[in-house]
Amino acid sequence: MNTRETLKVNEKGHLEIGGCDCVDLANKFGTPLYVFDEAYIRSMMRVYRDTIEKEYAGNGMVLYASKAFSCEAIYAIARQEKVGVDVVSGGELYTAVQAGFDAKNAYMHGNNKLPREISYALDCGIGTIVLDAYTEADLVDEEAKKRGIVQDVLIRINPGVEAHTHAYVQTATTDSKFGFSTQDGTAQSFTSYVLSKKNLNLKGYHCHIGSQIFEKQSFVLAVEKNLRFIAQIKDALGYEAQTLNLGGGFGIWYTDEDAKIDVNGYKGYLQALIQAVNVGCEQYSLKKPYLLIEPGRSIVGEAGITLYTVGAIKDIPNVKKYVAIDGGMFDNPRYALYQSKYTAILANRANEAPCELVSVAGKCCESGDLIGVNLNLPKAQSGDIMAILSTGAYNYSMASNYNRNFIPPVVLVNEGNAEYIVKPQTYSDLVRNDVIPDRLK
Ligand code: LLP
């Protein structure tokens, strides 16, 4: 399954996702609305899981990077699909646990895990904590000691691979707040430190070289560098890592400037990684590590779309045309943050050929509140239903109540059925935690 199979235009000329007519979805659930195709999510989880199973003798696990899209239902799907998860805060872990997800299959990340998050993670029986600071090693060791356990940990390393992606999502270049560099001795020193802690069991290393990366070579290079580092540590400290977590980062299709990769294509990325691991282990005489990958965007990104209703249209002669929708940076801040590009479709007139370039504006009180510029559309009219494609990753999870707008609800579609997995907010939700001190009354 790929994007083209998830989305189609039906006999009414309406856009369809997961067998549901988007105009019907908009009528039934209102807009703005996030819509996710369950079959797409499952097919992506399965392809990664099965590839590790078949081509790496099951010696590893897929961890869904839940920062891409976190709500109870996604952890329930991950549990059913037998994939683990990467959580990056107490909140993500709590959501997973609420959904009945076994914390043993969760890996906790973050460059500054809070003491209360570490303590909560241990209370939940977290599988592994990925250490990214001396303070974290101390805290996890102490908390594990208090509980009389030895906690499995990984160390986040920075192999210095520069991936071709937007600068803000590069994480493994030399200047990064993430990880310990394998090139300046800091990763080795931290390894010795962690090995000296009685209540920590160092399983191995983790790296994540960035996000929305298409070049296989970047991932392969990271594997090579990681294995070379593991071999160096084996020589220097007599410690051989058993686990290698290669992070996430596989790119997805947003516009026709991006490659359209189908499920088999993603399998190809993982196969390239596995091959690089096999070659590197041979070269450095290492045991094949337990292999983890942490795809987020590629599992949920193309599975999701956002539906909006077109409102005001402002044609500024000889300048540009703004088409405003009932959402904006509060449900999708990615243009404002990264100038990300998207593809828009008028879901109620999906067969009409695009004929003009417009800027799609949100409803927030600031000029930068755009979903995109130069989006190619048929002549939009107020009341049209606009679908923005590939919004499944880092949209809902990065949404806010800016301007006291509602974070849109989320609907999961599957073979023509649609149901809420996140219910709509109400005005009372917006003031639920507000307090007026007596002196202001
Ligand atoms: N593992 C770690 C440690 C990560 O930091 C990330 C993403 C992933 C896995 C998943 O990467 P993915 O497969 O989704 O590329 N908000 C940005 C993306 C930030 C990515 C942060 N880390 C965006 O909207 O593009």
Side-chain angles (χ1 to χ4, degrees), residues 3-4 164-166 211-215 250-262 266 269 297 302 334 339-343 389-390:
T3 312
R4 282 155 289 181
H164 288 190
T165 182
H166 192 287
S211 200
Q212 186 60 4
I213 299 166
F214 285 99
E215 286 87 23
F250 304 139
I252 65 163
W253 176 90
Y254 285 99
T255 71
D256 287 338
E257 288 174 17
D258 303 314
K260 262 193 171 120
I261 302 172
D262 64 8
Y266 288 109
Y269 276 91
R297 191 191 307 266
E302 289 185 56
R334 297 190 71 257
Q339 292 77 51
S340 300
K341 293 184 177 168
Y342 283 99
T343 298
L389 309 187
S390 296

Side-chain angles (χ1 to χ4, degrees), residues 369-423:
D369 171 29
L370 300 170
I371 296 295
V373 295
N374 292 329
L375 290 163
N376 203 4
L377 279 176
K379 224 176 204 64
Q381 289 158 7
S382 290
D384 277 334
I385 303 300
M386 186 185 292
I388 301 288
L389 309 187
S390 296
T391 58
Y394 305 111
N395 273 230
Y396 174 75
S397 64
M398 293 174 76
S400 74
N401 286 121
Y402 183 45
N403 284 179
R404 294 239 146 169
N405 285 301
F406 297 137
I407 295 177
V410 186
V411 155
L412 189 67
V413 293
N414 191 5
E415 293 180 1
N417 297 314
E419 56 204 330
Y420 279 128
I421 53 172
V422 180
K423 289 190 293 191

Side-chain angles (χ1 to χ4, degrees), residues 63 65 67-68 86 88 109-110 156 168-169 171 178 206-208 210-213 245-251 254 293-299 334 337-338 340 342 393-395 398:
L63 307 176
K67 71 208 74 182
D86 141 5
V88 77
H109 286 280
R156 178 152 184 170
Y168 291 174
V169 287
T171 49
F178 297 107
H206 166 269
C207 90
H208 170 76
S211 200
Q212 186 60 4
I213 299 166
N245 182 336
L246 294 168
F250 304 139
Y254 285 99
I293 55 159
E294 293 172 336
R297 191 191 307 266
S298 59
I299 289 180
R334 297 190 71 257
L337 279 173
Y338 319 118
S340 300
Y342 283 99
Y394 305 111
N395 273 230
M398 293 174 76

Side-chain angles (χ1 to χ4, degrees), residues 156-167 169-176 178 180-183 207-211 213 215-228 246 248 273:
R156 178 152 184 170
I157 54 174
N158 178 344
V161 173
E162 205 172 312
H164 288 190
T165 182
H166 192 287
V169 287
Q170 277 182 25
T171 49
T173 48
T174 312
D175 175 8
S176 169
F178 297 107
F180 291 90
S181 173
T182 55
Q183 298 163 100
C207 90
H208 170 76
I209 61 167
S211 200
I213 299 166
E215 286 87 23
K216 274 193 188 130
Q217 209 38 44
S218 310
F219 296 107
V220 167
L221 187 62
V223 171
E224 283 168 8
K225 289 197 167 204
N226 285 327
L227 291 174
R228 194 181 315 155
L246 294 168
L273 290 184

